[in-house]
């Protein structure tokens, strides 16, 4: 084989192993593996030891990895749950999106950041990554409690709201300049796309089912899901949104059929292979030299704001139920994850944010992902974890789909 | 996202869909899907309609696809079966490797082809792809017969012998010129590698098992298998063999653990995603303009020789049992597949074979893959399909692992 492929395989092997080794070490310290995989990229990448310099092909594989990452997130977001989880979760999600975005934007503008950078960083403060919380709650045996149910329900809406916001941002950024009519048009487009994928697409998949079962192709449902994932990613870029938004909604369209067609473990296998390249290259893009005193202070400020505004926003709708459930839900919704990172990456690639802002988002993601574990242990320690009667089965269904 | 990734996703989507559409059409005509995926590449590629021109990244993805393809082939080749299937299968495999290689080499040399080209084309005539046969036998409900058991057993050895031959070839080719001491050294190296992976590696995996179960990483067995697949691919290139040989033996090392760790469906999912890129680009490299009258004649000659020599070689060890079982085994072993294609591709990339020889191997692969289906239907039609008493359980185990 030509030399190019040999060295590609070597680079793929090295990145995969180091990412997984760091991930394993982090897991053993009760920290999310994702942060370990990113740290591997930071330490071994071009801005630190220069041990691994990801080439163009690795970067392409990483972006395909991001597409599949969001596809599996979509696959875990069942449209049928959206109706079931109810209005309280919706209110938690909306307040938990609006408040961090507003706080972040105002804070950055007050610190004299340019508008487009402030918008992107604020957008990165929005999307909750509930995987970390779901796992902690299961460790604490609190995953059937009422507050866990609200968190897992809100996370479903939260994902969609985050995607909508990103869709609008990318669309605006790629045409340059914010105009109100354009903002309205793009928002309508993004909402229309989301509504179509939530309410129409699953029934299209439903009608396709007899046809899929007659297909001779091996693993036809998986093949069709992969094709739709790639196809909607392309379609999303055509209407000016990010590819991952299409992938997310492709996953969502198949989410209700995922258990019957055994899609999730197989999509996860592709994810297990490709996602490390995404997280590693995310880390490798972090320029450590930008961490001046002012950037560190700004990063800590944004991190604190991201935690407080999320707790406040998500806790607010529960204020009547007392401080404990409000705090449980607020803290549970705190972790940011892959969506925050992708927003920052897209901002960096579109020259919408600087290396400084990229570094700030990375710190914010790390802080918000690490902090909830000890806090949740305290909040669920005494009496808040009892499962509500009659809610167990439903909560189990919802939490069951969250890795 | 940058324009590059967008167009990569578009190309990935287009290739994936067209490959699968052609595969589905072929399946409906009772032809192997793989041939359809290759034909898609031929028709849509640079030498015909020029509809899709695979770029560097697609070619890299295709080669990673080839690595995973051979990894899953290895995963279906259980070392523990090698001992069980017995000497008769071993004799069938060896004769079915030696005779086609010798016939092909002599035929090509008599037709004044250069030695290195003759060696590579002859090597492509060796490896049986038993997936097609296994499926036909199951359709005919003959997969528990004695002859089916011999075929499936011989295919296990055949894979390993094919890999050994390729390993030696690549190693010789990359150093240039055939010297006897070098041939001996490389053969010893390849056989040593194979023996290590067959007899030592599975017990290493066995000892690792408690450690794997204690790992915190999600899907630890899959992650470890993927890491070994990439690692041994790199190692194989270091000792001068092809990357896919390492991947094949990595699969083989995990084959006995595949059912317990549920590895196969998940490795297959990665395969379902990546293999179409390999087969499509295989087709897209076929220069249709080389098909002069003499090349067509040569291709048909090689195809006929590939069929006859395999039937003769594999049938010979069964000559005492009458012509029917001998023919059943010989015809069942006839289909060539992914290994033949990979040998040709590596030959092309190493400038060991010409576009003409590449085209000849493609035709040979197509003919040997399509022909057995009608022949096997005739051979198993009357009385040859009765399952031998007491052999059912074992045959079931062996055939169960073949897609």
């Amino acid at each position: 084989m030509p030399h190019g492929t040999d060295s590609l395989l070597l680079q793929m092997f090295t990145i995969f192993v180091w990412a997984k080794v760091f991930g394993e070490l982090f897991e053993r310290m009760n920290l999310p593996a994702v942060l370990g995989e990113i740290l591997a990229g930071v330490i071994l990448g071009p801005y630190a030891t220069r041990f691994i310099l990801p080439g163009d092909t690795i970067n392409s594989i990483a972006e395909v990895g991001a597409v599949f990452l969001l596809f599996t997130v979509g696959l875990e977001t069942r449209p049928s749950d959206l109706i079931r989880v109810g209005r309280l979760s919706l209110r938690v999600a909306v307040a938990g999106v609006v408040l961090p975005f507003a706080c972040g934007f105002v804070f950055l503008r007050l610190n004299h950041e340019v508008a487009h950078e402030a918008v992107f960083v604020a957008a990165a403060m929005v999307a909750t990554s509930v995987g970390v919380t779901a796992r902690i709650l299961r460790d604490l045996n609190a995953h059937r409690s009422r507050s866990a149910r609200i968190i897992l329900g809100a996370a479903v809406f939260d994902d969609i709201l985050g995607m909508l916001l990103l869709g609008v941002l990318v669309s605006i950024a790629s045409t340059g300049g914010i105009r109100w009519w354009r903002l309205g048009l793009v928002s309508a487009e993004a909402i229309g796309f989301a509504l179509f994928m939530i309410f129409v697409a699953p029934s299209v998949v439903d009608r396709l089912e007899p046809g899929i079962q007659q297909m001779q192709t091996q693993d036809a449902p998986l093949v069709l899901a992969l094709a739709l994932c790639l196809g909607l990613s392309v379609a999303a870029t055509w209407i000016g949104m990010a590819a991952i938004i299409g992938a997310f909604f492709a996953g969502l369209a198949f989410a209700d059929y995922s258990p019957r067609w055994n899609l999730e473990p197989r999509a996860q296998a592709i994810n297990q292979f490709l996602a490390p390249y995404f997280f590693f290259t995310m880390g490798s893009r972090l320029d450590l030299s930008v961490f001046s005193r002012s950037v560190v202070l700004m990063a800590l400020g944004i991190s604190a704001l991201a935690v407080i505004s999320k707790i406040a926003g998500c806790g607010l709708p529960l204020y009547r139920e007392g401080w404990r459930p409000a705090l449980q839900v607020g803290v549970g919704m705190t972790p940011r994850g892959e969506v925050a990172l992708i927003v920052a990456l897209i901002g960096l690639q579109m020259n919408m944010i600087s290396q400084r802002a990229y570094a700030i988002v990375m710190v914010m993601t790390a802080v918000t992902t690490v902090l909830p574990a000890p806090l949740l242990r305290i909040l669920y320690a005494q009496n808040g974890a009892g499962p509500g009667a009659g809610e167990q089965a439903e909560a189990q269904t919802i939490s069951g789909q969250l890795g």
Side-chain angles (χ1 to χ4, degrees), chain A residues 54-67 116-117 120 166 169-170 173-174 237 241-244 277-278 281-285 339-359:
Chain A
D56 286 346
T57 309
I58 293 288
N59 282 325
S60 295
I61 291 172
E63 304 214 21
V64 176
V67 164
H116 53 79
E117 187 155 298
F120 263 89
L166 179 63
L169 278 192
V170 169
S174 58
T237 63
M241 296 199 276
I244 51 152
Y277 299 101
F278 170 66
T281 55
M282 283 295 310
S284 75
R285 284 172 202 265
V339 177
L341 297 173
I342 287 175
V343 170
L345 180 64
I346 291 174
L348 193 66
Q349 287 174 337
M350 294 182 87
N351 291 320
M352 284 291 124
I353 66 169
S354 61
Q355 275 285 354
R356 285 175 55 241
Y358 183 75

Side-chain angles (χ1 to χ4, degrees), chain A residues 78 81 83 87 104 132-133 161 173 225 258 266 271 273 281 288 302 309 323 337 352 374 388 397:
Chain A
R78 299 194 204 171
D81 282 345
I83 298 126
R87 278 193 224 160
V132 178
T133 300
L161 293 172
S258 166
R266 296 188 290 170
N271 212 16
F273 174 44
T281 55
L288 293 171
I302 285 287
S309 62
W323 64 270
M352 284 291 124
T397 317

Side-chain angles (χ1 to χ4, degrees), chain A residues 159-169 187 190-191 194 241 249:
Chain A
D159 277 343
I160 294 171
L161 293 172
M163 282 295 135
L164 279 179
L165 182 58
L166 179 63
V168 173
L169 278 192
S187 303
I191 291 168
M241 296 199 276
F249 283 113

